[in-house]
mmCIF file with all atom_site columns, all heavy atoms in Angstrom:
data_model
loop_
_atom_site.group_PDB
_atom_site.id
_atom_site.type_symbol
_atom_site.label_atom_id
_atom_site.label_alt_id
_atom_site.label_comp_id
_atom_site.label_asym_id
_atom_site.label_entity_id
_atom_site.label_seq_id
_atom_site.pdbx_PDB_ins_code
_atom_site.Cartn_x
_atom_site.Cartn_y
_atom_site.Cartn_z
_atom_site.occupancy
_atom_site.B_iso_or_equiv
_atom_site.pdbx_formal_charge
_atom_site.auth_seq_id
_atom_site.auth_comp_id
_atom_site.auth_asym_id
_atom_site.auth_atom_id
_atom_site.pdbx_PDB_model_num
ATOM 1   N N   . LEU C 1 60  ? 73.796 159.544 130.861 1.00 0.00 ? 60  LEU C N   1
ATOM 2   C CA  . LEU C 1 60  ? 72.850 160.471 131.466 1.00 0.00 ? 60  LEU C CA  1
ATOM 3   C C   . LEU C 1 60  ? 73.474 161.863 131.633 1.00 0.00 ? 60  LEU C C   1
ATOM 4   O O   . LEU C 1 60  ? 73.715 162.346 132.734 1.00 0.00 ? 60  LEU C O   1
ATOM 5   C CB  . LEU C 1 60  ? 72.323 159.943 132.803 1.00 0.00 ? 60  LEU C CB  1
ATOM 6   C CG  . LEU C 1 60  ? 71.087 160.645 133.361 1.00 0.00 ? 60  LEU C CG  1
ATOM 7   C CD1 . LEU C 1 60  ? 69.935 160.597 132.379 1.00 0.00 ? 60  LEU C CD1 1
ATOM 8   C CD2 . LEU C 1 60  ? 70.686 160.032 134.676 1.00 0.00 ? 60  LEU C CD2 1
ATOM 9   N N   . ALA C 1 61  ? 73.744 162.493 130.489 1.00 0.00 ? 61  ALA C N   1
ATOM 10  C CA  . ALA C 1 61  ? 74.323 163.834 130.491 1.00 0.00 ? 61  ALA C CA  1
ATOM 11  C C   . ALA C 1 61  ? 73.417 164.800 131.244 1.00 0.00 ? 61  ALA C C   1
ATOM 12  O O   . ALA C 1 61  ? 72.213 164.828 131.021 1.00 0.00 ? 61  ALA C O   1
ATOM 13  C CB  . ALA C 1 61  ? 74.535 164.314 129.066 1.00 0.00 ? 61  ALA C CB  1
ATOM 14  N N   . ALA C 1 62  ? 73.992 165.571 132.154 1.00 0.00 ? 62  ALA C N   1
ATOM 15  C CA  . ALA C 1 62  ? 73.227 166.490 132.985 1.00 0.00 ? 62  ALA C CA  1
ATOM 16  C C   . ALA C 1 62  ? 73.500 167.951 132.647 1.00 0.00 ? 62  ALA C C   1
ATOM 17  O O   . ALA C 1 62  ? 72.648 168.804 132.869 1.00 0.00 ? 62  ALA C O   1
ATOM 18  C CB  . ALA C 1 62  ? 73.541 166.240 134.465 1.00 0.00 ? 62  ALA C CB  1
ATOM 19  N N   . ASP C 1 63  ? 74.680 168.265 132.122 1.00 0.00 ? 63  ASP C N   1
ATOM 20  C CA  . ASP C 1 63  ? 75.035 169.651 131.830 1.00 0.00 ? 63  ASP C CA  1
ATOM 21  C C   . ASP C 1 63  ? 76.183 169.658 130.826 1.00 0.00 ? 63  ASP C C   1
ATOM 22  O O   . ASP C 1 63  ? 76.902 168.664 130.688 1.00 0.00 ? 63  ASP C O   1
ATOM 23  C CB  . ASP C 1 63  ? 75.446 170.377 133.124 1.00 0.00 ? 63  ASP C CB  1
ATOM 24  C CG  . ASP C 1 63  ? 75.330 171.891 133.042 1.00 0.00 ? 63  ASP C CG  1
ATOM 25  O OD1 . ASP C 1 63  ? 74.995 172.422 131.957 1.00 0.00 ? 63  ASP C OD1 1
ATOM 26  O OD2 . ASP C 1 63  ? 75.571 172.545 134.066 1.00 0.00 ? 63  ASP C OD2 1
ATOM 27  N N   . ILE C 1 64  ? 76.356 170.791 130.145 1.00 0.00 ? 64  ILE C N   1
ATOM 28  C CA  . ILE C 1 64  ? 77.414 170.940 129.148 1.00 0.00 ? 64  ILE C CA  1
ATOM 29  C C   . ILE C 1 64  ? 78.004 172.343 129.266 1.00 0.00 ? 64  ILE C C   1
ATOM 30  O O   . ILE C 1 64  ? 77.282 173.306 129.509 1.00 0.00 ? 64  ILE C O   1
ATOM 31  C CB  . ILE C 1 64  ? 76.876 170.663 127.723 1.00 0.00 ? 64  ILE C CB  1
ATOM 32  C CG1 . ILE C 1 64  ? 77.993 170.686 126.697 1.00 0.00 ? 64  ILE C CG1 1
ATOM 33  C CG2 . ILE C 1 64  ? 75.774 171.636 127.363 1.00 0.00 ? 64  ILE C CG2 1
ATOM 34  C CD1 . ILE C 1 64  ? 77.591 170.158 125.336 1.00 0.00 ? 64  ILE C CD1 1
ATOM 35  N N   . GLU C 1 65  ? 79.315 172.447 129.118 1.00 0.00 ? 65  GLU C N   1
ATOM 36  C CA  . GLU C 1 65  ? 80.016 173.729 129.179 1.00 0.00 ? 65  GLU C CA  1
ATOM 37  C C   . GLU C 1 65  ? 81.161 173.717 128.175 1.00 0.00 ? 65  GLU C C   1
ATOM 38  O O   . GLU C 1 65  ? 81.692 172.658 127.846 1.00 0.00 ? 65  GLU C O   1
ATOM 39  C CB  . GLU C 1 65  ? 80.621 173.964 130.580 1.00 0.00 ? 65  GLU C CB  1
ATOM 40  C CG  . GLU C 1 65  ? 79.620 174.139 131.690 1.00 0.00 ? 65  GLU C CG  1
ATOM 41  C CD  . GLU C 1 65  ? 78.886 175.462 131.652 1.00 0.00 ? 65  GLU C CD  1
ATOM 42  O OE1 . GLU C 1 65  ? 79.393 176.422 131.034 1.00 0.00 ? 65  GLU C OE1 1
ATOM 43  O OE2 . GLU C 1 65  ? 77.810 175.537 132.255 1.00 0.00 ? 65  GLU C OE2 1
ATOM 44  N N   . PHE C 1 66  ? 81.552 174.891 127.706 1.00 0.00 ? 66  PHE C N   1
ATOM 45  C CA  . PHE C 1 66  ? 82.769 175.066 126.932 1.00 0.00 ? 66  PHE C CA  1
ATOM 46  C C   . PHE C 1 66  ? 83.862 175.524 127.881 1.00 0.00 ? 66  PHE C C   1
ATOM 47  O O   . PHE C 1 66  ? 83.590 176.232 128.858 1.00 0.00 ? 66  PHE C O   1
ATOM 48  C CB  . PHE C 1 66  ? 82.604 176.166 125.867 1.00 0.00 ? 66  PHE C CB  1
ATOM 49  C CG  . PHE C 1 66  ? 81.898 175.734 124.631 1.00 0.00 ? 66  PHE C CG  1
ATOM 50  C CD1 . PHE C 1 66  ? 80.528 175.879 124.505 1.00 0.00 ? 66  PHE C CD1 1
ATOM 51  C CD2 . PHE C 1 66  ? 82.614 175.191 123.567 1.00 0.00 ? 66  PHE C CD2 1
ATOM 52  C CE1 . PHE C 1 66  ? 79.873 175.492 123.350 1.00 0.00 ? 66  PHE C CE1 1
ATOM 53  C CE2 . PHE C 1 66  ? 81.972 174.803 122.414 1.00 0.00 ? 66  PHE C CE2 1
ATOM 54  C CZ  . PHE C 1 66  ? 80.595 174.957 122.299 1.00 0.00 ? 66  PHE C CZ  1
ATOM 55  N N   . ILE C 1 73  ? 84.736 171.015 124.731 1.00 0.00 ? 73  ILE C N   1
ATOM 56  C CA  . ILE C 1 73  ? 83.364 170.895 125.206 1.00 0.00 ? 73  ILE C CA  1
ATOM 57  C C   . ILE C 1 73  ? 83.402 169.882 126.343 1.00 0.00 ? 73  ILE C C   1
ATOM 58  O O   . ILE C 1 73  ? 83.969 168.800 126.189 1.00 0.00 ? 73  ILE C O   1
ATOM 59  C CB  . ILE C 1 73  ? 82.424 170.385 124.093 1.00 0.00 ? 73  ILE C CB  1
ATOM 60  C CG1 . ILE C 1 73  ? 82.477 171.316 122.875 1.00 0.00 ? 73  ILE C CG1 1
ATOM 61  C CG2 . ILE C 1 73  ? 81.005 170.222 124.623 1.00 0.00 ? 73  ILE C CG2 1
ATOM 62  C CD1 . ILE C 1 73  ? 81.855 170.708 121.636 1.00 0.00 ? 73  ILE C CD1 1
ATOM 63  N N   . LEU C 1 74  ? 82.823 170.235 127.483 1.00 0.00 ? 74  LEU C N   1
ATOM 64  C CA  . LEU C 1 74  ? 82.794 169.346 128.636 1.00 0.00 ? 74  LEU C CA  1
ATOM 65  C C   . LEU C 1 74  ? 81.354 168.935 128.900 1.00 0.00 ? 74  LEU C C   1
ATOM 66  O O   . LEU C 1 74  ? 80.465 169.778 128.942 1.00 0.00 ? 74  LEU C O   1
ATOM 67  C CB  . LEU C 1 74  ? 83.352 170.056 129.870 1.00 0.00 ? 74  LEU C CB  1
ATOM 68  C CG  . LEU C 1 74  ? 84.740 170.679 129.721 1.00 0.00 ? 74  LEU C CG  1
ATOM 69  C CD1 . LEU C 1 74  ? 85.096 171.456 130.972 1.00 0.00 ? 74  LEU C CD1 1
ATOM 70  C CD2 . LEU C 1 74  ? 85.777 169.617 129.440 1.00 0.00 ? 74  LEU C CD2 1
ATOM 71  N N   . VAL C 1 75  ? 81.125 167.630 129.083 1.00 0.00 ? 75  VAL C N   1
ATOM 72  C CA  . VAL C 1 75  ? 79.792 167.112 129.362 1.00 0.00 ? 75  VAL C CA  1
ATOM 73  C C   . VAL C 1 75  ? 79.817 166.445 130.727 1.00 0.00 ? 75  VAL C C   1
ATOM 74  O O   . VAL C 1 75  ? 80.606 165.517 130.956 1.00 0.00 ? 75  VAL C O   1
ATOM 75  C CB  . VAL C 1 75  ? 79.334 166.108 128.281 1.00 0.00 ? 75  VAL C CB  1
ATOM 76  C CG1 . VAL C 1 75  ? 77.947 165.578 128.605 1.00 0.00 ? 75  VAL C CG1 1
ATOM 77  C CG2 . VAL C 1 75  ? 79.361 166.750 126.902 1.00 0.00 ? 75  VAL C CG2 1
ATOM 78  N N   . LEU C 1 76  ? 78.964 166.914 131.623 1.00 0.00 ? 76  LEU C N   1
ATOM 79  C CA  . LEU C 1 76  ? 78.825 166.321 132.957 1.00 0.00 ? 76  LEU C CA  1
ATOM 80  C C   . LEU C 1 76  ? 77.810 165.191 132.855 1.00 0.00 ? 76  LEU C C   1
ATOM 81  O O   . LEU C 1 76  ? 76.682 165.401 132.425 1.00 0.00 ? 76  LEU C O   1
ATOM 82  C CB  . LEU C 1 76  ? 78.349 167.379 133.959 1.00 0.00 ? 76  LEU C CB  1
ATOM 83  C CG  . LEU C 1 76  ? 78.042 166.879 135.369 1.00 0.00 ? 76  LEU C CG  1
ATOM 84  C CD1 . LEU C 1 76  ? 79.306 166.381 136.053 1.00 0.00 ? 76  LEU C CD1 1
ATOM 85  C CD2 . LEU C 1 76  ? 77.397 167.990 136.179 1.00 0.00 ? 76  LEU C CD2 1
ATOM 86  N N   . ASN C 1 77  ? 78.215 163.997 133.244 1.00 0.00 ? 77  ASN C N   1
ATOM 87  C CA  . ASN C 1 77  ? 77.371 162.806 133.163 1.00 0.00 ? 77  ASN C CA  1
ATOM 88  C C   . ASN C 1 77  ? 77.000 162.328 134.560 1.00 0.00 ? 77  ASN C C   1
ATOM 89  O O   . ASN C 1 77  ? 77.877 161.970 135.348 1.00 0.00 ? 77  ASN C O   1
ATOM 90  C CB  . ASN C 1 77  ? 78.097 161.686 132.406 1.00 0.00 ? 77  ASN C CB  1
ATOM 91  C CG  . ASN C 1 77  ? 78.499 162.134 131.025 1.00 0.00 ? 77  ASN C CG  1
ATOM 92  O OD1 . ASN C 1 77  ? 77.661 162.346 130.175 1.00 0.00 ? 77  ASN C OD1 1
ATOM 93  N ND2 . ASN C 1 77  ? 79.795 162.304 130.810 1.00 0.00 ? 77  ASN C ND2 1
ATOM 94  N N   . ARG C 1 78  ? 75.704 162.351 134.855 1.00 0.00 ? 78  ARG C N   1
ATOM 95  C CA  . ARG C 1 78  ? 75.234 162.007 136.200 1.00 0.00 ? 78  ARG C CA  1
ATOM 96  C C   . ARG C 1 78  ? 75.321 160.508 136.491 1.00 0.00 ? 78  ARG C C   1
ATOM 97  O O   . ARG C 1 78  ? 75.771 160.106 137.548 1.00 0.00 ? 78  ARG C O   1
ATOM 98  C CB  . ARG C 1 78  ? 73.807 162.505 136.397 1.00 0.00 ? 78  ARG C CB  1
ATOM 99  C CG  . ARG C 1 78  ? 73.388 162.482 137.851 1.00 0.00 ? 78  ARG C CG  1
ATOM 100 C CD  . ARG C 1 78  ? 72.065 163.133 138.044 1.00 0.00 ? 78  ARG C CD  1
ATOM 101 N NE  . ARG C 1 78  ? 71.022 162.156 137.752 1.00 0.00 ? 78  ARG C NE  1
ATOM 102 C CZ  . ARG C 1 78  ? 69.780 162.449 137.481 1.00 0.00 ? 78  ARG C CZ  1
ATOM 103 N NH1 . ARG C 1 78  ? 69.396 163.700 137.411 1.00 0.00 ? 78  ARG C NH1 1
ATOM 104 N NH2 . ARG C 1 78  ? 68.901 161.523 137.252 1.00 0.00 ? 78  ARG C NH2 1
ATOM 105 N N   . ASN C 1 82  ? 81.006 161.328 135.845 1.00 0.00 ? 82  ASN C N   1
ATOM 106 C CA  . ASN C 1 82  ? 82.239 161.773 135.206 1.00 0.00 ? 82  ASN C CA  1
ATOM 107 C C   . ASN C 1 82  ? 81.990 162.992 134.326 1.00 0.00 ? 82  ASN C C   1
ATOM 108 O O   . ASN C 1 82  ? 80.849 163.365 134.063 1.00 0.00 ? 82  ASN C O   1
ATOM 109 C CB  . ASN C 1 82  ? 82.893 160.631 134.413 1.00 0.00 ? 82  ASN C CB  1
ATOM 110 C CG  . ASN C 1 82  ? 82.064 160.156 133.233 1.00 0.00 ? 82  ASN C CG  1
ATOM 111 O OD1 . ASN C 1 82  ? 80.925 160.565 133.032 1.00 0.00 ? 82  ASN C OD1 1
ATOM 112 N ND2 . ASN C 1 82  ? 82.643 159.271 132.445 1.00 0.00 ? 82  ASN C ND2 1
ATOM 113 N N   . ILE C 1 83  ? 83.090 163.596 133.902 1.00 0.00 ? 83  ILE C N   1
ATOM 114 C CA  . ILE C 1 83  ? 83.071 164.691 132.935 1.00 0.00 ? 83  ILE C CA  1
ATOM 115 C C   . ILE C 1 83  ? 83.772 164.172 131.689 1.00 0.00 ? 83  ILE C C   1
ATOM 116 O O   . ILE C 1 83  ? 84.924 163.739 131.749 1.00 0.00 ? 83  ILE C O   1
ATOM 117 C CB  . ILE C 1 83  ? 83.779 165.952 133.471 1.00 0.00 ? 83  ILE C CB  1
ATOM 118 C CG1 . ILE C 1 83  ? 83.048 166.510 134.684 1.00 0.00 ? 83  ILE C CG1 1
ATOM 119 C CG2 . ILE C 1 83  ? 83.892 167.011 132.370 1.00 0.00 ? 83  ILE C CG2 1
ATOM 120 C CD1 . ILE C 1 83  ? 83.780 167.657 135.379 1.00 0.00 ? 83  ILE C CD1 1
ATOM 121 N N   . THR C 1 84  ? 83.068 164.183 130.559 1.00 0.00 ? 84  THR C N   1
ATOM 122 C CA  . THR C 1 84  ? 83.642 163.755 129.286 1.00 0.00 ? 84  THR C CA  1
ATOM 123 C C   . THR C 1 84  ? 84.124 164.993 128.544 1.00 0.00 ? 84  THR C C   1
ATOM 124 O O   . THR C 1 84  ? 83.389 165.964 128.424 1.00 0.00 ? 84  THR C O   1
ATOM 125 C CB  . THR C 1 84  ? 82.599 163.000 128.438 1.00 0.00 ? 84  THR C CB  1
ATOM 126 O OG1 . THR C 1 84  ? 82.029 161.957 129.218 1.00 0.00 ? 84  THR C OG1 1
ATOM 127 C CG2 . THR C 1 84  ? 83.229 162.405 127.200 1.00 0.00 ? 84  THR C CG2 1
ATOM 128 N N   . GLY C 1 103 ? 77.051 164.362 139.566 1.00 0.00 ? 103 GLY C N   1
ATOM 129 C CA  . GLY C 1 103 ? 76.774 165.798 139.502 1.00 0.00 ? 103 GLY C CA  1
ATOM 130 C C   . GLY C 1 103 ? 75.512 166.095 138.729 1.00 0.00 ? 103 GLY C C   1
ATOM 131 O O   . GLY C 1 103 ? 75.108 165.346 137.842 1.00 0.00 ? 103 GLY C O   1
ATOM 132 N N   . LEU C 1 104 ? 74.889 167.216 139.069 1.00 0.00 ? 104 LEU C N   1
ATOM 133 C CA  . LEU C 1 104 ? 73.662 167.627 138.385 1.00 0.00 ? 104 LEU C CA  1
ATOM 134 C C   . LEU C 1 104 ? 73.884 168.871 137.527 1.00 0.00 ? 104 LEU C C   1
ATOM 135 O O   . LEU C 1 104 ? 73.240 169.051 136.512 1.00 0.00 ? 104 LEU C O   1
ATOM 136 C CB  . LEU C 1 104 ? 72.555 167.885 139.408 1.00 0.00 ? 104 LEU C CB  1
ATOM 137 C CG  . LEU C 1 104 ? 71.163 168.130 138.860 1.00 0.00 ? 104 LEU C CG  1
ATOM 138 C CD1 . LEU C 1 104 ? 70.694 166.960 138.007 1.00 0.00 ? 104 LEU C CD1 1
ATOM 139 C CD2 . LEU C 1 104 ? 70.181 168.370 139.987 1.00 0.00 ? 104 LEU C CD2 1
ATOM 140 N N   . GLY C 1 105 ? 74.806 169.740 137.916 1.00 0.00 ? 105 GLY C N   1
ATOM 141 C CA  . GLY C 1 105 ? 75.119 170.951 137.178 1.00 0.00 ? 105 GLY C CA  1
ATOM 142 C C   . GLY C 1 105 ? 76.552 171.349 137.469 1.00 0.00 ? 105 GLY C C   1
ATOM 143 O O   . GLY C 1 105 ? 77.122 170.958 138.484 1.00 0.00 ? 105 GLY C O   1
ATOM 144 N N   . PHE C 1 106 ? 77.156 172.144 136.549 1.00 0.00 ? 106 PHE C N   1
ATOM 145 C CA  . PHE C 1 106 ? 78.527 172.600 136.792 1.00 0.00 ? 106 PHE C CA  1
ATOM 146 C C   . PHE C 1 106 ? 78.827 173.844 135.980 1.00 0.00 ? 106 PHE C C   1
ATOM 147 O O   . PHE C 1 106 ? 78.062 174.237 135.107 1.00 0.00 ? 106 PHE C O   1
ATOM 148 C CB  . PHE C 1 106 ? 79.537 171.482 136.512 1.00 0.00 ? 106 PHE C CB  1
ATOM 149 C CG  . PHE C 1 106 ? 79.867 171.206 135.065 1.00 0.00 ? 106 PHE C CG  1
ATOM 150 C CD1 . PHE C 1 106 ? 81.186 171.197 134.646 1.00 0.00 ? 106 PHE C CD1 1
ATOM 151 C CD2 . PHE C 1 106 ? 78.889 170.914 134.123 1.00 0.00 ? 106 PHE C CD2 1
ATOM 152 C CE1 . PHE C 1 106 ? 81.515 170.909 133.323 1.00 0.00 ? 106 PHE C CE1 1
ATOM 153 C CE2 . PHE C 1 106 ? 79.203 170.628 132.807 1.00 0.00 ? 106 PHE C CE2 1
ATOM 154 C CZ  . PHE C 1 106 ? 80.520 170.625 132.402 1.00 0.00 ? 106 PHE C CZ  1
ATOM 155 N N   . ASP C 1 107 ? 79.939 174.464 136.317 1.00 0.00 ? 107 ASP C N   1
ATOM 156 C CA  . ASP C 1 107 ? 80.451 175.600 135.562 1.00 0.00 ? 107 ASP C CA  1
ATOM 157 C C   . ASP C 1 107 ? 81.965 175.485 135.585 1.00 0.00 ? 107 ASP C C   1
ATOM 158 O O   . ASP C 1 107 ? 82.541 174.740 136.388 1.00 0.00 ? 107 ASP C O   1
ATOM 159 C CB  . ASP C 1 107 ? 79.978 176.923 136.160 1.00 0.00 ? 107 ASP C CB  1
ATOM 160 C CG  . ASP C 1 107 ? 80.047 178.090 135.166 1.00 0.00 ? 107 ASP C CG  1
ATOM 161 O OD1 . ASP C 1 107 ? 80.391 177.869 133.985 1.00 0.00 ? 107 ASP C OD1 1
ATOM 162 O OD2 . ASP C 1 107 ? 79.741 179.228 135.564 1.00 0.00 ? 107 ASP C OD2 1
ATOM 163 N N   . VAL C 1 108 ? 82.633 176.235 134.693 1.00 0.00 ? 108 VAL C N   1
ATOM 164 C CA  . VAL C 1 108 ? 84.075 176.126 134.519 1.00 0.00 ? 108 VAL C CA  1
ATOM 165 C C   . VAL C 1 108 ? 84.724 177.481 134.745 1.00 0.00 ? 108 VAL C C   1
ATOM 166 O O   . VAL C 1 108 ? 84.202 178.509 134.309 1.00 0.00 ? 108 VAL C O   1
ATOM 167 C CB  . VAL C 1 108 ? 84.397 175.610 133.099 1.00 0.00 ? 108 VAL C CB  1
ATOM 168 C CG1 . VAL C 1 108 ? 85.885 175.474 132.879 1.00 0.00 ? 108 VAL C CG1 1
ATOM 169 C CG2 . VAL C 1 108 ? 83.701 174.275 132.848 1.00 0.00 ? 108 VAL C CG2 1
ATOM 170 N N   . VAL C 1 115 ? 83.462 173.404 138.759 1.00 0.00 ? 115 VAL C N   1
ATOM 171 C CA  . VAL C 1 115 ? 82.770 173.369 140.048 1.00 0.00 ? 115 VAL C CA  1
ATOM 172 C C   . VAL C 1 115 ? 81.462 172.627 139.786 1.00 0.00 ? 115 VAL C C   1
ATOM 173 O O   . VAL C 1 115 ? 80.653 173.045 138.968 1.00 0.00 ? 115 VAL C O   1
ATOM 174 C CB  . VAL C 1 115 ? 82.513 174.785 140.609 1.00 0.00 ? 115 VAL C CB  1
ATOM 175 C CG1 . VAL C 1 115 ? 81.844 174.699 141.974 1.00 0.00 ? 115 VAL C CG1 1
ATOM 176 C CG2 . VAL C 1 115 ? 83.826 175.572 140.691 1.00 0.00 ? 115 VAL C CG2 1
ATOM 177 N N   . VAL C 1 116 ? 81.278 171.491 140.474 1.00 0.00 ? 116 VAL C N   1
ATOM 178 C CA  . VAL C 1 116 ? 80.182 170.567 140.215 1.00 0.00 ? 116 VAL C CA  1
ATOM 179 C C   . VAL C 1 116 ? 79.240 170.525 141.411 1.00 0.00 ? 116 VAL C C   1
ATOM 180 O O   . VAL C 1 116 ? 79.677 170.384 142.551 1.00 0.00 ? 116 VAL C O   1
ATOM 181 C CB  . VAL C 1 116 ? 80.722 169.140 139.943 1.00 0.00 ? 116 VAL C CB  1
ATOM 182 C CG1 . VAL C 1 116 ? 79.585 168.174 139.640 1.00 0.00 ? 116 VAL C CG1 1
ATOM 183 C CG2 . VAL C 1 116 ? 81.744 169.155 138.814 1.00 0.00 ? 116 VAL C CG2 1
ATOM 184 N N   . ALA C 1 117 ? 77.933 170.640 141.158 1.00 0.00 ? 117 ALA C N   1
ATOM 185 C CA  . ALA C 1 117 ? 76.906 170.507 142.198 1.00 0.00 ? 117 ALA C CA  1
ATOM 186 C C   . ALA C 1 117 ? 76.558 169.025 142.338 1.00 0.00 ? 117 ALA C C   1
ATOM 187 O O   . ALA C 1 117 ? 76.042 168.414 141.409 1.00 0.00 ? 117 ALA C O   1
ATOM 188 C CB  . ALA C 1 117 ? 75.661 171.309 141.821 1.00 0.00 ? 117 ALA C CB  1
ATOM 189 N N   . GLY C 1 144 ? 71.945 171.968 142.820 1.00 0.00 ? 144 GLY C N   1
ATOM 190 C CA  . GLY C 1 144 ? 71.616 171.590 141.457 1.00 0.00 ? 144 GLY C CA  1
ATOM 191 C C   . GLY C 1 144 ? 72.228 172.437 140.369 1.00 0.00 ? 144 GLY C C   1
ATOM 192 O O   . GLY C 1 144 ? 72.257 172.032 139.220 1.00 0.00 ? 144 GLY C O   1
ATOM 193 N N   . TRP C 1 145 ? 72.703 173.641 140.694 1.00 0.00 ? 145 TRP C N   1
ATOM 194 C CA  . TRP C 1 145 ? 73.303 174.484 139.651 1.00 0.00 ? 145 TRP C CA  1
ATOM 195 C C   . TRP C 1 145 ? 74.486 175.243 140.215 1.00 0.00 ? 145 TRP C C   1
ATOM 196 O O   . TRP C 1 145 ? 74.595 175.449 141.414 1.00 0.00 ? 145 TRP C O   1
ATOM 197 C CB  . TRP C 1 145 ? 72.294 175.441 139.025 1.00 0.00 ? 145 TRP C CB  1
ATOM 198 C CG  . TRP C 1 145 ? 71.660 176.443 139.946 1.00 0.00 ? 145 TRP C CG  1
ATOM 199 C CD1 . TRP C 1 145 ? 70.455 176.321 140.574 1.00 0.00 ? 145 TRP C CD1 1
ATOM 200 C CD2 . TRP C 1 145 ? 72.176 177.721 140.337 1.00 0.00 ? 145 TRP C CD2 1
ATOM 201 N NE1 . TRP C 1 145 ? 70.197 177.445 141.328 1.00 0.00 ? 145 TRP C NE1 1
ATOM 202 C CE2 . TRP C 1 145 ? 71.235 178.318 141.200 1.00 0.00 ? 145 TRP C CE2 1
ATOM 203 C CE3 . TRP C 1 145 ? 73.337 178.424 140.049 1.00 0.00 ? 145 TRP C CE3 1
ATOM 204 C CZ2 . TRP C 1 145 ? 71.430 179.580 141.782 1.00 0.00 ? 145 TRP C CZ2 1
ATOM 205 C CZ3 . TRP C 1 145 ? 73.531 179.687 140.626 1.00 0.00 ? 145 TRP C CZ3 1
ATOM 206 C CH2 . TRP C 1 145 ? 72.574 180.240 141.475 1.00 0.00 ? 145 TRP C CH2 1
ATOM 207 N N   . VAL C 1 146 ? 75.374 175.657 139.298 1.00 0.00 ? 146 VAL C N   1
ATOM 208 C CA  . VAL C 1 146 ? 76.589 176.390 139.670 1.00 0.00 ? 146 VAL C CA  1
ATOM 209 C C   . VAL C 1 146 ? 76.812 177.492 138.652 1.00 0.00 ? 146 VAL C C   1
ATOM 210 O O   . VAL C 1 146 ? 76.655 177.277 137.455 1.00 0.00 ? 146 VAL C O   1
ATOM 211 C CB  . VAL C 1 146 ? 77.830 175.470 139.678 1.00 0.00 ? 146 VAL C CB  1
ATOM 212 C CG1 . VAL C 1 146 ? 79.091 176.262 139.997 1.00 0.00 ? 146 VAL C CG1 1
ATOM 213 C CG2 . VAL C 1 146 ? 77.668 174.310 140.642 1.00 0.00 ? 146 VAL C CG2 1
ATOM 214 N N   . GLU C 1 147 ? 77.196 178.660 139.128 1.00 0.00 ? 147 GLU C N   1
ATOM 215 C CA  . GLU C 1 147 ? 77.654 179.751 138.267 1.00 0.00 ? 147 GLU C CA  1
ATOM 216 C C   . GLU C 1 147 ? 78.940 180.306 138.877 1.00 0.00 ? 147 GLU C C   1
ATOM 217 O O   . GLU C 1 147 ? 78.978 180.630 140.060 1.00 0.00 ? 147 GLU C O   1
ATOM 218 C CB  . GLU C 1 147 ? 76.612 180.870 138.167 1.00 0.00 ? 147 GLU C CB  1
ATOM 219 C CG  . GLU C 1 147 ? 75.377 180.494 137.382 1.00 0.00 ? 147 GLU C CG  1
ATOM 220 C CD  . GLU C 1 147 ? 75.634 180.212 135.913 1.00 0.00 ? 147 GLU C CD  1
ATOM 221 O OE1 . GLU C 1 147 ? 76.571 180.812 135.326 1.00 0.00 ? 147 GLU C OE1 1
ATOM 222 O OE2 . GLU C 1 147 ? 74.901 179.387 135.358 1.00 0.00 ? 147 GLU C OE2 1
ATOM 223 N N   . ILE C 1 186 ? 67.442 175.382 139.402 1.00 0.00 ? 186 ILE C N   1
ATOM 224 C CA  . ILE C 1 186 ? 67.079 175.727 138.036 1.00 0.00 ? 186 ILE C CA  1
ATOM 225 C C   . ILE C 1 186 ? 66.855 174.405 137.315 1.00 0.00 ? 186 ILE C C   1
ATOM 226 O O   . ILE C 1 186 ? 67.710 173.537 137.331 1.00 0.00 ? 186 ILE C O   1
ATOM 227 C CB  . ILE C 1 186 ? 68.186 176.524 137.331 1.00 0.00 ? 186 ILE C CB  1
ATOM 228 C CG1 . ILE C 1 186 ? 68.378 177.873 137.994 1.00 0.00 ? 186 ILE C CG1 1
ATOM 229 C CG2 . ILE C 1 186 ? 67.868 176.678 135.846 1.00 0.00 ? 186 ILE C CG2 1
ATOM 230 C CD1 . ILE C 1 186 ? 69.501 178.690 137.427 1.00 0.00 ? 186 ILE C CD1 1
ATOM 231 N N   . SER C 1 188 ? 65.051 172.455 133.677 1.00 0.00 ? 188 SER C N   1
ATOM 232 C CA  . SER C 1 188 ? 64.546 172.668 132.324 1.00 0.00 ? 188 SER C CA  1
ATOM 233 C C   . SER C 1 188 ? 63.954 171.384 131.809 1.00 0.00 ? 188 SER C C   1
ATOM 234 O O   . SER C 1 188 ? 64.148 170.331 132.348 1.00 0.00 ? 188 SER C O   1
ATOM 235 C CB  . SER C 1 188 ? 65.670 173.142 131.406 1.00 0.00 ? 188 SER C CB  1
ATOM 236 O OG  . SER C 1 188 ? 66.675 172.177 131.288 1.00 0.00 ? 188 SER C OG  1
#
Side-chain angles (χ1 to χ4, degrees):
L60 194 57
D63 202 356
I64 185 169
E65 294 288 339
F66 280 92
I73 303 166
L74 306 175
V75 180
L76 175 66
N77 303 291
R78 194 173 84 199
N82 65 353
I83 296 173
T84 308
L104 188 58
F106 78 127
D107 201 4
V108 180
V115 182
V116 181
W145 61 264
V146 177
E147 290 295 330
I186 295 176
S188 63

